[in-house]
Amino acid sequence: MDFEAIEDQDGVRCSWNVLPNTRIEATRSVVPVAALYTPLKERPDQPPIRYEPVMCKAPCRAVLNPYCQIDVRGKLWICPFCLQRNQFPPHYKDISAHNLPPEL
């Protein structure tokens, strides 16, 4: 396996390619199990979004993401953290099940 190619594709680097299966293996391992994630890695298949993120109401302020529940009929989304219902901004007026914004 070419781990550098996988890291370049996903933006994730793990300290191990195989995790310990048993508690004994875990206690014998010298290198701690860890992952380095690069959330701002530029990807050619997904260009950056050039507008401000859609955020949940205060005090949560979470950002619209693929884990949010979407109601295309009511033009609203449910925050996965605080479960508040939030209206989509006016520039999302054409949202549908087949026409989702890039952040979803």
Side-chain angles (χ1 to χ4, degrees), residues 23-73:
R23 186 178 292 245
I24 294 171
E25 288 179 4
T27 57
R28 290 182 182 166
S29 65
V30 180
V31 178
V33 177
L36 177 66
Y37 177 65
T38 311
L40 299 177
K41 181 179 179 352
E42 292 186 20
R43 294 178 51 182
D45 60 329
Q46 292 181 344
I49 298 172
R50 302 288 180 199
Y51 52 86
E52 290 296 317
V54 177
M55 300 180 94
C56 185
K57 299 171 189 169
C60 179
R61 309 295 290 167
V63 176
L64 177 65
N65 62 67
Y67 299 104
C68 297
Q69 295 178 15
I70 306 296
D71 180 7
V72 292
R73 280 188 179 166

Side-chain angles (χ1 to χ4, degrees), residues 1-10 12 17:
M1 279 185 124
D2 186 12
F3 297 109
E4 290 180 1
I6 294 171
E7 177 188 345
D8 190 44
Q9 175 186 356
D10 297 334
V12 178
N17 59 345

Side-chain angles (χ1 to χ4, degrees), residues 66-100:
Y67 299 104
C68 297
Q69 295 178 15
I70 306 296
D71 180 7
V72 292
R73 280 188 179 166
K75 305 284 190 233
L76 55 90
W77 60 282
I78 301 171
C79 177
F81 299 107
C82 67
L83 302 176
Q84 285 192 52
R85 294 179 181 272
N86 301 285
Q87 291 290 328
F88 281 112
H91 64 275
Y92 281 73
K93 66 181 184 295
D94 297 327
I95 191 171
S96 68
H98 303 292
N99 183 22
L100 293 174

